[in-house]
Amino acid sequence: MAKVHVKTGDTVMVISGRDRGNSGKVLQVSPKEGKVIVEGRNMVTKHVKPRRQGEQGGIVKAEGAMYASKVMPVCPKCGKATRVGHTEKDGKKVRVCKKCGAEF
């Protein structure tokens, strides 16, 4: 299993692609594929068939997965996209902002 630098619930900024410069919340992380799903970013259209009688089918917009390397976590203190550093606090490994040193 590969490690991913973001966790579910993190606020991230997209650094490449058509959504570059936009930020959103991480909804799902797939470490095996190295991909993340970000709320409101990388929207794709899906053609959905009605599964049950009376259910509506049609074209639905949904968030698509993108590579984790295309996103950077946003520091809650300084509000900038930053790399993740690690330090030890009370015997536990915590993530810190490389720009301002704040924990997140």
Side-chain angles (χ1 to χ4, degrees):
M1 239 177 170
K3 269 180 75 171
V4 181
H5 64 287
V6 290
K7 293 181 180 179
T8 304
D10 282 352
T11 303
V12 294
M13 183 175 283
V14 181
I15 57 172
S16 71
R18 68 170 183 240
D19 285 319
R20 177 181 35 230
N22 296 321
S23 57
K25 193 172 136 189
V26 176
L27 300 175
Q28 195 176 347
V29 178
S30 177
K32 192 174 180 180
E33 296 173 344
K35 292 186 176 187
V36 294
I37 296 176
V38 182
E39 186 177 36
R41 302 289 159 239
N42 196 29
M43 299 301 283
V44 293
T45 54
K46 280 184 174 180
H47 295 265
V48 179
K49 258 185 146 175
R51 292 288 169 208
R52 294 185 204 102
Q53 196 170 7
E55 192 176 292
Q56 191 82 22
I59 300 171
V60 177
K61 282 196 162 268
E63 289 98 354
M66 65 171 69
Y67 285 106
S69 61
K70 288 187 165 197
V71 297
M72 282 181 92
V74 175
C75 176
K77 185 180 174 190
C78 63
K80 295 178 184 173
T82 183
R83 289 173 291 129
V84 177
H86 296 282
T87 185
E88 207 170 299
K89 184 177 182 184
D90 301 327
K92 289 190 176 182
K93 192 174 176 182
V94 290
R95 299 186 307 159
V96 293
C97 172
K98 282 281 195 173
K99 291 190 176 178
C100 69
E103 292 179 23
F104 62 96

